[in-house]
């Protein structure tokens, strides 16, 4: 089957080297070989998370840990900061976990701002908040440092942050920002196959979890902590993912983390320029565009060029590229181009050339 190059915002293209690592021979997850591998990647993961806390590996997609954070940490009421499909869904998940939850809803394409969060937390009703740093559905990045600065004012509120599509593409200083949970998945900015999630949590979060009577087993943060001390996971992990992650951490070290951040920003800017150069507007509010994907406005907001998205996708597919045709209620009225993971100036140039070719035929 001819391979179609993925430029959707997850899953993204997986390198040959990562795949080879993923296919390493199996070993026992309670044996020394696994413990050595787990221990070897810990310092590299802690450096990426900018934390002295342990980093945990959950064999689940990101949603597993997103749900787990609610079950472990929400005792009274959670404030769900919502500005797109994933962050909106987190409120629904909280309700399905029978948690008291309230929406802080802003329009899709707008970032979450600190003053809005402050106003809600000032009610004193909340002991946790959920925030998506980079709303993948709208290509909008919220100002995390500005929001996290509220932690000093509300120390008892658990700050739960999803960085699924921004982790390792832009600096997120977990300890410095004073966050309580930072989580990510594997198939977005880390460019691994889907199936594992990574997270870290503050000591305050572990303490809060210890009082949660209904946190279950599979996603019990204290089980992760206890097993982590022995360089193990609570249950049998996807061992292939751990090999693949170790390989990716080597790649990141070789490139240099600052170079990795700079590459994502540069490629996102190139994509924004490509869009502007072809008469399109962007969907996110100016100044809050994602560094890992570009959400092009195509009639969801006034102004700019409008094309027939399914036709554009089909013309690209003929050339071996898959792009996203918009998510949820902005499907067809936006389209998204991903530059996350291993993309380079060369690979993005090939995408722009294919887009040019497709637009010329529309
Ligand atoms: C993709 C995505 C998720 C969900 O990830 P799954 O791997 O499907 O669980 C959550 N949050 C954000 C920001 C995402 O982009």
């Amino acid at each position: 089957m001819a391979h179609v190059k993925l430029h959707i915002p997850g899953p993204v293209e997986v390198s040959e080297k990562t795949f080879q690592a993923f296919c390493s021979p199996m070993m026992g997850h309670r044996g020394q070989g696994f413990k050595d591998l787990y221990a070897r990647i810990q310092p590299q993961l802690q450096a990426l998370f900018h934390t002295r806390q342990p980093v945990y590996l959950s064999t689940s997609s990101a949603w597993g840990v997103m749900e787990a954070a609610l079950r472990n940490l929400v005792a009274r009421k959670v404030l769900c900061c919502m500005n797109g499909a994933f962050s909106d869904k987190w409120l629904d998940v909280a309700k399905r976990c029978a948690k008291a939850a309230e929406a802080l809803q802003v329009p899709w394409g707008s970032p979450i701002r600190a003053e809005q969060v402050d106003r809600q937390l000032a009610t004193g009703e909340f002991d946790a908040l959920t925030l998506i740093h980079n709303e993948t559905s709208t290509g909008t990045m919220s100002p995390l440092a500005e929001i996290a600065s509220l932690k000093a004012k509300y120390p008892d509120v658990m700050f739960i942050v999803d960085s699924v599509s921004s982790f390792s593409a832009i600096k997120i200083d977990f300890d410095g920002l004073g966050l309580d949970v930072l989580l990510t998945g594997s198939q977005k900015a880390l460019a691994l196959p889907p199936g594992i999630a990574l997270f870290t949590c503050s000591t305050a979060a572990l303490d809060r979890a210890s009082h949660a009577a209904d946190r279950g087993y599979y996603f019990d943060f204290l089980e992760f902590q206890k097993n982590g001390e022995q360089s193990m996971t609570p249950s049998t992990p996807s061992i292939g993912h751990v090999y693949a992650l170790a390989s990716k951490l080597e790649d990141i070290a070789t490139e240099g983390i600052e170079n990795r951040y700079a590459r994502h920003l540069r490629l996102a800017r190139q994509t924004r320029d490509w869009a502007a150069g072809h008469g399109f507007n962007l969907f996110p509010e100016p100044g809050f565009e994602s560094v890992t994907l570009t959400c092009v406005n195509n009639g969801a907001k006034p102004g700019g060029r409008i094309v027939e998205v399914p036709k554009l996708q089909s013309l690209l597919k003929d050339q071996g590229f898959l792009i996203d045709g918009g998510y949820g209620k902005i499907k067809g009225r936006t389209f998204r181009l991903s530059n996350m993971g291993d993309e380079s100036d060369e690979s993005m140039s090939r995408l722009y050339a294919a887009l040019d070719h497709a637009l010329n035929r529309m």
Side-chain angles (χ1 to χ4, degrees):
M1 198 172 68
H3 177 64
V4 178
K5 168 87 194 288
L6 301 181
H7 274 283
I8 54 173
V12 304
E13 204 63 18
V14 174
S15 75
E16 207 48 55
K17 174 174 180 278
T18 301
F19 265 130
Q20 278 183 7
F22 192 86
C23 293
S24 301
M26 277 307 113
M27 57 184 168
H29 67 294
R30 302 293 182 216
Q32 199 54 43
F34 182 81
K35 290 182 180 187
D36 289 346
L37 177 63
Y38 186 107
R40 179 158 63 81
I41 62 174
Q42 268 303 308
Q44 294 163 289
L45 289 173
Q46 287 171 309
L48 266 191
F49 275 86
H50 296 272
T51 188
R52 300 215 302 252
Q53 301 303 319
V55 175
Y56 305 115
L57 309 178
S58 169
T59 296
S60 66
S61 80
W63 272 116
V65 180
M66 292 164 79
E67 179 167 332
L70 300 166
R71 295 169 67 117
N72 279 268
L73 303 182
V74 180
R76 283 194 293 135
K77 191 174 184 185
V78 59
L79 178 68
C80 297
C81 303
M82 294 158 45
N83 63 342
F86 293 104
S87 47
D88 289 7
K89 181 78 189 167
W90 220 344
L91 174 75
D92 177 45
V93 173
K95 289 178 173 166
R96 291 182 193 214
C97 293
K99 299 294 181 186
E102 196 170 309
L104 192 180
Q105 179 84 65
V106 306
W108 283 29
S110 295
I112 303 292
R113 300 307 302 264
E115 68 259 22
Q116 302 161 333
V117 178
D118 192 11
R119 227 174 292 131
Q120 291 301 312
L121 295 184
T123 62
E125 289 176 30
F126 301 99
D127 62 357
L129 68 79
T130 60
L131 175 74
I132 292 191
H133 176 223
N134 190 56
E135 210 354 304
T136 318
S137 63
T138 66
T140 306
M141 212 158 60
S142 287
L144 183 56
E146 170 192 302
I147 299 161
S149 71
L150 293 168
K151 178 72 189 180
K153 195 168 166 190
Y154 304 102
D156 297 332
V157 175
M158 293 283 120
F159 279 51
I160 304 166
V161 179
D162 162 322
S163 65
V164 173
S165 58
S166 55
F167 183 78
S168 84
I170 185 169
K171 183 177 176 182
I172 304 177
D173 182 357
F174 180 80
D175 286 353
L177 293 171
L179 305 178
D180 292 292
V181 174
L182 182 64
L183 68 100
T184 188
S186 54
Q187 78 276 24
K188 308 248 173 116
L190 281 172
L192 301 174
I196 204 165
L198 318 178
F199 69 104
T200 190
C201 48
S202 65
T203 49
L206 291 173
D207 183 57
R208 173 75 65 84
S210 72
H211 299 287
D214 55 353
R215 58 186 192 274
Y217 167 67
Y218 192 78
F219 290 117
D220 178 357
F221 283 3
L222 299 183
E223 287 288 345
F224 281 95
Q225 191 270 330
K226 208 172 64 191
N227 282 276
E229 283 180 358
Q230 314 291 324
S231 297
M232 292 190 296
T233 51
S235 53
T236 318
S238 171
I239 294 169
H241 274 98
V242 188
Y243 281 122
L245 176 59
S247 163
K248 180 57 61 184
L249 291 167
E250 277 170 21
D251 299 346
I252 293 173
T254 304
E255 180 179 18
I257 189 63
E258 293 298 333
N259 292 336
R260 184 179 174 85
Y261 296 154
R263 172 169 60 83
H264 279 90
L265 179 59
R266 183 175 72 248
L267 299 181
R269 284 185 172 150
Q270 283 173 15
T271 308
R272 292 172 208 161
D273 289 346
W274 174 87
H278 290 75
F280 292 105
N281 290 351
L282 302 183
F283 184 69
E285 198 176 303
F288 300 95
E289 299 89 349
S290 166
V291 295
T292 58
L293 74 140
T294 298
C295 185
V296 180
N297 180 46
N298 189 58
K301 282 182 175 176
R305 183 173 180 178
I306 296 180
V307 295
E308 202 190 312
V309 169
K311 177 115 188 269
L312 176 64
Q313 287 178 293
S314 140
L315 288 167
L316 280 164
K317 200 157 196 181
D318 293 344
Q319 300 177 77
F321 294 92
L322 185 69
I323 65 159
D324 172 84
Y327 197 106
K329 66 184 182 191
I330 52 174
K331 185 178 165 76
R333 298 188 300 136
T334 54
F335 60 91
R336 297 179 299 166
L337 307 170
S338 167
N339 62 277
M340 67 183 83
D342 300 331
E343 299 307 336
S344 63
D345 296 80
E346 296 72 37
S347 73
M348 292 306 291
S349 298
R350 286 194 287 274
L351 174 66
Y352 307 141
L355 283 161
D356 290 347
H357 186 74
L359 287 179
N360 283 336
R361 296 181 53 201
M362 292 184 68

